[in-house]
């Protein structure tokens, strides 16, 4: 069965520190992986997807098929990064997206 | 991109009653979805709203409890029927656009409290 696991409910780091939000998935085929973010009082929005291999707001995520992981990283956290982050999976060619439980990132000044 | 609006934004309802949530997208989209986000939990897909035909429900969700309509490409409704306190949740409408099919857009959500 498809599953997305985010082991940390809350991650607290100091401003300027590196941050890594973990995501592991379970899927037998070729998934599409995404990170969505929800800032306070805003709606859920796409942050990045693995296919594009881009850096958005300083965040990157690499798909590791061997470890079935798609961790989100940023070398220097900023206070404005504080938000709820969801890892999501859509199986290749499919239309349903499933979400992990989410990790709340809190960046302290 | 697509901008999604939902009505109502929040409501407090008595058990046993029903509430219909409306979702409007400002552009034509290919697929529309309804999610539930219970307090402190992740998003759970309720169903895919299909235009002109019955919605496709996920395991654990049934049409009698969550009837869904999608009369055209930009509008959908979700009804939460015979509500109980366990239905208290945020209900999110989501859609995939025809331009960037990989991205899903989300509405602001409807916060439902059942007393």
């Amino acid at each position: 069965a498809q599953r997305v696991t985010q082991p940390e409910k809350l991650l607290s780091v100091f401003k300027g520190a590196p941050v890594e939000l973990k995501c592991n998935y379970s899927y037998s085929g070729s998934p599409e992986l995404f990170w969505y973010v929800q800032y306070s009082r805003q709606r859920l929005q796409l942050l990045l997807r693995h296919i594009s291999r881009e850096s958005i707001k300083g965040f990157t995520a690499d798909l590791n098929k061997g470890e079935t992981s798609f961790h989100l990283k940023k070398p220097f956290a900023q206070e404005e990064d504080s938000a709820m982050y969801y890892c999501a999976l859509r199986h290749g060619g499919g239309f349903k997206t499933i979400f992990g439980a989410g990790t709340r990132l809190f960046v302290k000044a | 991109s697509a901008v999604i609006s939902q009505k109502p934004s929040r409501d407090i309802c008595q058990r046993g009653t029903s509430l219909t949530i409306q979702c409007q997208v400002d552009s034509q989209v290919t697929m529309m979805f309804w999610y539930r986000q219970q307090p402190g939990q992740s998003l759970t897909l309720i169903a895919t709203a299909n235009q002109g035909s019955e919605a496709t429900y996920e395991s654990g969700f049934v049409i009698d409890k969550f009837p869904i309509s999608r009369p055209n490409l930009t509008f959908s409704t979700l009804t939460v029927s015979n509500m109980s306190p366990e239905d208290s949740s945020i209900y999110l409408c989501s859609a995939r656009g025809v331009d960037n099919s990989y991205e899903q857009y989300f509405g602001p959500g409807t916060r439902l409290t059942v007393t």
Side-chain angles (χ1 to χ4, degrees), chain A residues 43 86 90 95-97 100, chain B residues 4 35 37 42 58 104 106:
Chain A
R43 63 188 67 192
Y86 293 95
R90 186 169 72 221
F95 55 85
K96 293 190 297 185
T97 301
Chain B
I4 301 175
Y35 286 84
Q37 187 174 27
S42 184
E58 297 300 303
Q104 268 186 244
F106 286 84

Side-chain angles (χ1 to χ4, degrees), chain A residues 87-103:
Chain A
C87 184
L89 176 153
R90 186 169 72 221
H91 59 88
F95 55 85
K96 293 190 297 185
T97 301
I98 61 171
F99 289 81
T103 297

